[in-house]
Amino acid sequence: DVQLVESGGGSVPPGGSLRLSCAASGYSASAYCLAWFRQAPGKAREGVAGIDVYDKMSYGDSVKGRFTISKGDAKNTIFLQMNSLKPDNTGTYICAAGRVRGGYCYRPLVKGAYNRWGQGTQVTVS
């Protein structure tokens, strides 16, 4: 079974940077779409960035140009480089995995496309 473990969260001032990591096990790089979501208190879980099996990246409008999603060389780790952080980027960042369908990752920033979730790592910008 796919298991996801996040790390790298912390507290930074506005304008700061953080790099999050998600280690995946029980996972086939050719069979799963991967993404980062943010859960803020009292708000819906929001898709931040996604990466498909061809390494095509997708970003939420609020993070374009500031955040970068990538895969490690072994393809079993994904990263989220977050620059120019703002207070409204605060939340729990959760790694997600979902099966490829027909060779594609449909709706990469929609939580319904994923069925495996990590526990999350807290990011606080203040």
Side-chain angles (χ1 to χ4, degrees):
D1 195 17
V2 176
Q3 294 189 344
L4 305 167
V5 180
E6 304 93 336
S7 61
S11 182
V12 296
S17 297
L18 281 174
R19 189 189 196 211
L20 307 183
S21 300
C22 172
S25 59
Y27 151 80
S28 170
S30 63
Y32 280 88
C33 315
L34 298 169
W36 287 97
F37 283 73
R38 177 173 61 241
Q39 182 80 62
K43 295 186 178 181
R45 187 167 294 187
E46 175 188 16
V48 175
I51 189 165
D52 73 7
V53 295
Y54 308 107
D55 293 347
K56 178 183 176 182
M57 298 164 282
S58 302
Y59 296 98
D61 288 342
S62 66
V63 305
K64 285 179 181 176
R66 298 188 297 121
F67 290 14
T68 303
I69 189 171
S70 62
K71 291 180 182 176
D73 290 341
K75 307 293 185 182
N76 60 354
T77 303
I78 62 168
F79 304 99
L80 186 67
Q81 177 66 43
M82 305 187 294
N83 298 328
S84 302
L85 282 161
K86 304 176 181 179
D88 61 4
N89 296 136
T90 293
T92 300
Y93 283 71
I94 305 166
C95 184
R99 294 282 293 187
V100 169
R101 298 177 184 178
Y104 292 95
C105 296
Y106 295 100
R107 307 173 76 189
L109 300 182
V110 176
K111 65 181 181 179
Y114 302 90
N115 61 355
R116 294 292 184 266
W117 300 88
Q119 294 298 309
T121 185
Q122 178 66 34
V123 171
T124 302
V125 185
S126 65

